Amino acid sequence: MASYNRTPHASGLPKSSILGTLRATSMVESKTALPAEVIVSILDYLSVPDLLRFARTSSRMREMVYDDTRWVARLKSMGLWSDLEAKKRFEDAIRRKRDAAARMSVSGGPVSADKDGVTTIFDAAIEEERRMATASRPPQQPAATVDGFETLSLNPNQSTSPMQDPTALVNILKNVRSVRGHARQEFGKVYGALAPFYFDLVQAKTHTEPVVFKVFRDPERQAQMLSNLHVFSKSDWTDGWSQRVGKLSSMVTIFEGAVLREFEQGYEFWDVDGRMRRYAHVLHSLNGGSAATDLFIQKHPIFNDREELGNPIDCINQAPRDEITLEPSRAFFELLLRKLNEQSSNISRIFPQPALVFWSFVDKVREDVIMEYVTPLLDVAHDRQTALYLKAMSGLFEQCMQFVQSLDSPPGSEISIEDHTKATCLKVFEPHMDLYLQEELDNFASHAEREVHNWEQKLSEQDATVESFYMGGFNRQADKNDFLSSFKKVVMMPVSVLPNAFGSSKQTPTTTATTNPTIRSSVIGAPGSSRPQTPGLGSHPERSNSPFPAEAPTDELKAKAALMANRLEGIKGLFSIEVALDLVHVAQESLGRAAKFVRLGGQVGGEAREQCEAIFVALVKVLGQTHVKNGFAKAVDHLSRYNPREISDHSQTGVAPLVMFIELVNVGDIISQMIDVFYEQQLAAPKIADKNDFMDPAGLAKKKFEQMLDENVAAGLNKGIDVLMDEVEYLCATTQLPTDYNPPASSNGNGPPSGFDIGPTVTARRITELVSSHTKMLVGSTEKTMLDVFNGEVGLRLFTALCKHLKRQRISTEGAVNLIADMTMYFEYIRTLRNQDLLVYFKALRELSQIYLIDARHAKEMATIIADGDRFGGVFRAEEVYEYAERRADWFQVKRNVERAMYGLECQIM
């Protein structure tokens, strides 16, 4: 603020003008000594009486002291202020004001007319009436619990309490409200009620001097007041607060010790409904009752009688060798469950919060009893055998889960029984989880690799036995002499070529191989199924039905032919459904054990879920890369060695090795379905694996297995198509008679001979049956896309083979009827495949066969058909059709006329 001071002047001098007076005036400006921010910080460290004194100095200081945020901070320090409640009260007040204003606007009354209205313009008459009414009213001394600081003495050492109702003092903290703008009044209520007791207690020399123990005689209210004083001490920020809080804490400790001794005496006499219940409630009112809970748990006899619950090693000692029984552990958990459920009712009678005490008791039992039982058993089982350890871990976890879920918990717990179960089991088994999950995965992987290796070893031993049987029945020295003699003949060929070529009837080994019926019988007489079933686990390699014929072949050619037949027959046994099924069952058991721990949730549950997926990945890897892929590779190798010319019996509707390979494809499809069902039931259904996550390891492994299977099936089918086409070409070369398409002329020279069969030839029927039987085998065992590709490739390769075969024939006009019938049969078969692109080729082939039906006298029409490219749908060019026309039996008779008509040689220049 600023003030004006006049410069002193002598009284005798004449007065100067007004301007001179103003010039002589000096302005003096006074400023506060400290900034407002510093003053606010200082106020935070003043006691309440000092704050009230400070507020009386000026209106500005009063505003700083009465600032609502200062008192809200003190209430928050005691935990008595709720911003949510204050916001709600403020919004309710605003809403009430709006509703009142709305009602007044509807009624049309004046805003300032009624007595309770708000005066918006100063009215001297109304103010005078209010002043006189206030002056005439007798002075009243309001209660301190309502009015805040107004009735308090500024002397903190007052010895008499202004309170007349002790019950109100006990419940003072419960009545504090969170109202914006009234935090000072609410804190004043608390301060007026508790400050006298607080300052009296911190100045007491002994525990008998505090007034609080004289005003309140029963321990229940003494404990409540001490608890209130402890809360109030949190708002003590003035100098020396730590000494005062320490003195209060020492008094509380003395009081707590005395009450705890009373509780312990009641515990010794098991006075449940008497002293134990009373003093448990006193301690709960004091500081939550943790001391009573700890005493009850530590002195409980269940921790001293562990021998009665059982010996964990009995699970191994009472079981057969290399086995484990969990019957003793089940009895242990059942006995422990009965004991804990008995204590549940006692805890409900003693403690005011029985659920909290009960689960603290269960946690102590978990630490000192359950873990002391589980850990030694798991250690011993792991030292004995990994399989025992895995069974023990899974079984004990399941029993522990059932044990906690069966506890009769007192009501009032904020955590569900499921969460308690997870927390308890997690603490019991978490120290063993890393080792268990790794052992589970390693155990399954080693078992799977061992079983697949045993299977392959059995196949190798069986193949070696079969080869030894077939190849050991002839004299290799004689073979050596035969080889040397053959070599000598080759060297001396210029000398002996003429006698051997024209005079000798001895056949070469190749000729013998293709014509000797003895060798044919050895090939056909090879075992119809050298592997009647896939060798299962534990099956003896020597079966009762021997895979060998009665006699071994006596020469190498017979032996090799029989050995090839044996290997081709064994294609379908290159991998086993039994092995796959056994591995799936083992994986199901292993994954089922590990999946139990997924219920724990959190990090441990996530690790268990990852390990479950790792087990599935290991299953797919062993079955796919090690078992199925190797089997397909061997099958393709056996197919590549097949030679239809070494087989004499071609009367079957299918090529034996290709039929067996398709059976192998069916086995692979069954294994793929097993993997898919396993994934759906064991991983996708329990939400262990996410089907919608394209980066999920289990899903990636499954897709990789399916891709590998498709690739190997495609490679095998490609080789199978080669084998099938070799068989088709063999049938075309060996069963198609020259007279089928070029029958001899009849005796009268007109038309085909009597008895000539008009219709599809035997070769066409056999080829159609052969190809259709193989395409039908794949229906239902492979995907539609792969089936379409296979059928398309078979159709194109069949078209090529028929074209080559057609160029080797000589076709007459009479035999063209059979040719058209054959091509129509092929066309109708291709129609069943429902491949329109493929159907165009055979339609063109059918049209091509009609050029042989044209009589020689109509050479000009024949030339028109040959030159008509649209007639064949673009499949054959005119040059190619001309080549096929050259296979007519009467071509040399019609060639000149056809060429003249095609090339325009009949044109004349006019």
Side-chain angles (χ1 to χ4, degrees):
M1 61 183 294
S3 60
Y4 295 94
N5 297 327
R6 293 182 182 273
T7 303
H9 58 276
S11 58
L13 297 175
K15 294 183 178 180
S16 60
S17 64
I18 185 73
L19 295 177
T21 304
L22 291 176
R23 292 189 187 99
T25 303
S26 63
M27 182 176 289
V28 178
E29 183 179 359
S30 62
K31 297 181 180 179
T32 56
L34 296 175
E37 294 80 2
V38 177
I39 295 176
V40 170
S41 300
I42 293 174
L43 292 180
D44 292 338
Y45 296 97
L46 294 181
S47 63
V48 174
D50 292 339
L51 282 174
L52 297 181
R53 295 189 184 97
F54 188 80
R56 295 177 180 178
T57 57
S58 67
S59 59
R60 184 181 179 188
M61 298 301 106
R62 184 178 68 250
E63 291 176 358
M64 297 177 67
V65 172
Y66 284 10
D67 185 15
D68 201 55
T69 58
R70 182 178 310 282
W71 307 103
V72 167
R74 289 181 179 267
L75 291 175
K76 282 186 176 181
S77 66
M78 294 186 291
L80 303 179
W81 180 269
S82 172
D83 290 330
L84 183 62
E85 180 186 352
K87 181 180 179 181
K88 183 178 179 182
R89 289 180 180 273
F90 177 76
E91 292 175 351
D92 292 341
I94 295 298
R95 186 172 56 255
R96 286 195 300 269
K97 289 182 180 180
R98 290 176 180 175
D99 294 343
R103 286 194 299 270
M104 298 214 34
S105 63
V106 171
S107 62
V111 177
S112 60
D114 91 339
K115 184 171 62 174
D116 298 329
V118 179
T119 303
T120 57
I121 300 178
F122 179 77
D123 191 337
I126 295 175
E127 292 298 324
E128 183 64 20
E129 289 179 2
R130 290 181 179 176
R131 187 184 63 79
M132 293 179 63
T134 304
S136 63
R137 186 181 304 134
Q140 296 180 358
Q141 188 72 15
T145 57
V146 178
D147 296 334
F149 299 110
E150 282 74 5
T151 61
L152 294 180
S153 171
L154 296 180
N155 182 14
N157 297 325
Q158 59 184 358
S159 58
T160 59
S161 173
M163 309 306 166
Q164 302 297 329
D165 186 8
T167 304
L169 296 175
V170 172
N171 299 323
I172 187 64
L173 298 182
K174 299 179 181 179
N175 299 325
V176 176
R177 301 178 303 166
S178 299
V179 183
R180 292 179 180 177
H182 294 78
R184 178 174 58 86
Q185 288 82 352
E186 296 298 323
F187 181 78
K189 298 174 185 178
V190 177
Y191 189 86
L194 300 180
F197 294 101
Y198 177 72
F199 290 108
D200 175 76
L201 186 142
V202 298
Q203 292 177 359
K205 303 299 182 183
T206 63
H207 64 277
T208 59
E209 293 181 4
V211 176
V212 66
F213 297 127
K214 298 176 182 179
V215 175
F216 304 96
R217 292 296 181 178
D218 55 299
E220 287 81 4
R221 292 198 291 179
Q222 289 176 350
Q224 185 63 50
M225 281 301 297
L226 288 176
S227 178
N228 292 345
L229 293 177
H230 178 71
V231 174
F232 179 75
S233 66
K234 297 179 182 179
S235 65
D236 184 7
W237 300 343
T238 59
D239 187 26
W241 64 269
S242 59
Q243 292 81 2
R244 289 189 291 273
V245 172
K247 189 62 176 294
L248 175 62
S249 299
S250 62
M251 285 293 180
V252 171
T253 303
I254 294 172
F255 178 81
E256 183 181 20
V259 175
L260 196 60
R261 284 193 295 272
E262 294 293 333
F263 178 82
E264 186 176 5
Q265 290 178 3
Y267 196 0
E268 292 176 355
F269 292 98
W270 199 242
D271 186 7
V272 174
D273 297 322
R275 284 184 290 179
M276 289 184 68
R277 176 181 175 83
R278 179 184 183 185
Y279 291 108
H281 283 68
V282 170
L283 290 172
H284 175 73
S285 301
L286 180 64
N287 54 13
S290 59
T293 302
D294 295 340
L295 180 63
F296 177 83
I297 294 174
Q298 291 174 1
K299 294 181 69 67
H300 201 279
I302 193 174
F303 301 105
N304 300 324
D305 301 334
R306 300 176 187 174
E307 292 78 8
E308 299 179 1
L309 298 175
N311 185 6
I313 310 303
D314 291 341
C315 295
I316 297 178
N317 296 336
Q318 296 179 8
R321 183 178 179 84
D322 296 334
E323 293 290 338
I324 188 171
T325 176
L326 297 180
E327 188 64 25
S329 62
R330 184 189 62 81
F332 162 79
F333 280 109
E334 288 182 352
L335 179 59
L336 188 61
L337 177 64
R338 289 196 299 269
K339 289 181 176 292
L340 290 185
N341 286 338
E342 291 175 0
Q343 295 304 315
S344 176
S345 60
N346 295 330
I347 291 174
S348 299
R349 293 160 56 190
I350 297 172
F351 295 95
Q353 292 183 340
L356 182 62
V357 178
F358 176 76
W359 288 112
S360 300
F361 179 62
V362 171
D363 188 66
K364 184 66 175 177
V365 170
R366 183 269 313 166
E367 181 179 358
D368 291 353
V369 179
I370 298 179
M371 293 191 69
E372 292 297 328
Y373 184 91
V374 170
T375 302
L377 176 57
L378 294 178
D379 292 341
V380 174
H382 185 268
D383 294 339
R384 292 285 182 89
Q385 192 176 351
T386 303
L388 302 183
Y389 172 73
L390 300 178
K391 293 179 181 178
M393 185 75 175
S394 176
L396 290 175
F397 176 78
E398 191 69 24
Q399 291 177 351
C400 185
M401 291 281 287
Q402 295 178 357
F403 160 75
V404 181
Q405 291 175 351
S406 302
L407 290 175
D408 187 11
S409 173
S413 177
E414 298 179 356
I415 305 177
S416 62
I417 187 67
E418 289 78 11
D419 293 337
H420 279 297
T421 302
K422 293 178 182 179
T424 302
C425 294
L426 178 62
K427 294 177 181 178
V428 173
F429 293 96
E430 186 177 15
H432 310 277
M433 285 304 300
D434 292 339
L435 176 62
Y436 164 73
L437 293 177
Q438 189 61 42
E439 289 288 354
E440 190 73 72
L441 177 60
D442 294 344
N443 180 71
F444 169 74
S446 60
H447 173 80
E449 293 175 355
R450 183 170 59 253
E451 292 302 326
V452 172
H453 175 72
N454 292 340
W455 162 263
E456 293 181 349
Q457 186 175 5
K458 289 178 182 179
L459 284 184
S460 301
E461 293 175 355
Q462 189 171 1
D463 291 342
T465 303
V466 171
E467 184 174 0
S468 175
F469 174 80
Y470 284 117
M471 302 301 292
F474 57 90
N475 190 342
R476 292 192 176 272
Q477 184 63 35
D479 292 341
K480 183 177 180 181
N481 295 334
D482 292 342
F483 172 76
L484 293 177
S485 62
S486 300
F487 181 74
K488 182 179 179 182
K489 291 178 182 178
V490 172
V491 174
M492 301 298 294
M493 185 172 291
V495 180
S496 59
V497 64
L498 293 178
N500 286 342
F502 299 100
S504 177
S505 61
K506 185 177 180 181
Q507 296 178 347
T508 62
T510 304
T511 307
T512 305
T514 56
T515 58
N516 193 346
T518 306
I519 299 178
R520 293 297 179 199
S521 63
S522 68
V523 176
I524 302 168
S529 177
S530 63
R531 293 174 177 86
Q533 64 178 4
T534 54
L537 296 175
S539 62
H540 201 276
E542 296 179 0
R543 300 187 181 94
S544 58
N545 51 346
S546 174
F548 308 120
E551 295 182 355
T554 56
D555 61 65
E556 186 174 5
L557 188 58
K558 292 181 181 179
K560 288 184 177 180
L563 183 60
M564 183 190 70
N566 181 276
R567 287 175 176 174
L568 293 177
E569 288 285 341
I571 286 179
K572 60 185 179 182
L574 291 177
F575 51 79
S576 169
I577 295 180
E578 289 85 351
V579 172
L581 187 62
D582 176 76
L583 294 184
V584 168
H585 286 164
V586 175
Q588 183 179 9
E589 294 177 0
S590 181
L591 193 146
R593 289 193 296 263
K596 295 178 181 178
F597 297 92
V598 177
R599 293 178 289 177
L600 293 177
Q603 181 180 357
V604 173
E607 292 175 354
R609 178 180 286 102
E610 293 176 359
Q611 210 69 353
C612 290
E613 293 187 293
I615 293 173
F616 177 77
V617 171
L619 168 67
V620 173
K621 182 178 179 181
V622 172
L623 275 181
Q625 299 297 326
T626 307
H627 192 51
V628 175
K629 187 174 182 179
N630 292 344
F632 273 113
K634 294 178 181 178
V636 172
D637 181 66
H638 292 340
L639 277 176
S640 62
R641 301 179 185 179
Y642 174 76
N643 187 0
R645 291 166 180 77
E646 296 181 359
I647 305 298
S648 61
D649 185 10
H650 293 272
S651 61
Q652 302 296 327
T653 58
V655 182
L658 184 56
V659 172
M660 294 170 191
F661 180 80
I662 294 177
E663 291 182 6
L664 188 69
V665 173
N666 293 332
V667 174
D669 182 67
I670 292 175
I671 294 176
S672 178
Q673 294 178 10
M674 291 166 56
I675 295 295
D676 186 68
V677 172
F678 182 85
Y679 176 82
E680 292 291 337
Q681 294 183 354
Q682 303 297 324
L683 294 176
K687 305 298 182 182
I688 295 177
D690 187 2
K691 296 173 62 176
N692 299 323
D693 185 7
F694 66 93
M695 294 299 294
D696 183 66
L700 291 176
K702 178 173 171 290
K703 292 178 182 178
K704 188 175 182 180
F705 174 82
E706 295 172 350
Q707 181 180 2
M708 179 276 303
L709 186 62
D710 292 341
E711 291 176 354
N712 284 274
V713 169
L717 292 180
N718 185 45
K719 184 61 67 175
I721 292 174
D722 294 340
V723 173
L724 181 61
M725 292 301 109
D726 289 344
E727 188 72 16
V728 168
E729 291 178 358
Y730 181 81
L731 289 178
C732 289
T734 56
T735 62
Q736 191 79 67
L737 300 177
T739 58
D740 288 343
Y741 298 148
N742 188 16
S746 61
S747 57
N748 55 9
N750 295 323
S754 59
F756 181 72
D757 186 14
I758 298 178
T761 61
V762 176
T763 302
R765 293 193 184 99
R766 291 186 60 179
I767 290 176
T768 304
E769 293 175 358
L770 176 68
V771 178
S772 63
S773 65
H774 288 86
T775 55
K776 291 178 181 178
M777 287 180 186
L778 292 176
V779 177
S781 62
T782 57
E783 296 181 355
K784 185 178 183 303
T785 304
M786 182 176 293
L787 183 62
D788 293 340
V789 173
F790 177 78
N791 291 339
E793 184 67 19
V794 169
L796 288 176
R797 299 281 291 275
L798 177 63
F799 173 79
T800 304
L802 292 177
C803 290
K804 291 171 58 178
H805 176 61
L806 191 59
K807 290 181 179 180
R808 292 194 293 264
Q809 303 299 315
R810 181 65 64 181
I811 306 165
S812 64
T813 306
E814 293 79 7
V817 177
N818 287 346
L819 177 62
I820 294 174
D822 288 352
M823 297 307 164
T824 303
M825 173 174 281
Y826 295 136
F827 177 81
E828 293 299 329
Y829 161 68
I830 296 299
R831 188 195 297 272
T832 61
L833 300 181
R834 299 179 180 180
N835 191 328
Q836 296 300 323
D837 297 335
L838 196 61
L839 199 61
V840 174
Y841 289 90
F842 285 85
K843 184 178 180 180
L845 196 60
R846 186 181 61 178
E847 294 292 334
L848 179 66
S849 63
Q850 295 180 5
I851 64 174
Y852 301 104
L853 191 62
I854 301 174
D855 192 81
R857 293 171 297 177
H858 304 98
K860 185 178 296 185
E861 287 77 5
M862 186 187 308
T864 303
I865 294 176
I866 293 174
D868 186 5
D870 296 335
R871 184 182 185 91
F872 306 103
V875 176
F876 298 110
R877 301 191 308 273
E879 294 80 2
E880 294 175 339
V881 178
Y882 182 83
E883 292 178 4
Y884 287 106
E886 291 178 345
R887 304 311 304 165
R888 287 178 60 98
D890 56 353
W891 174 247
F892 293 103
Q893 301 175 12
V894 301
K895 176 180 179 182
R896 181 172 178 274
N897 296 330
V898 170
E899 289 180 349
R900 289 173 64 87
M902 286 183 63
Y903 303 121
L905 299 179
E906 295 180 351
C907 298
Q908 297 180 359
I909 300 176
M910 301 297 294

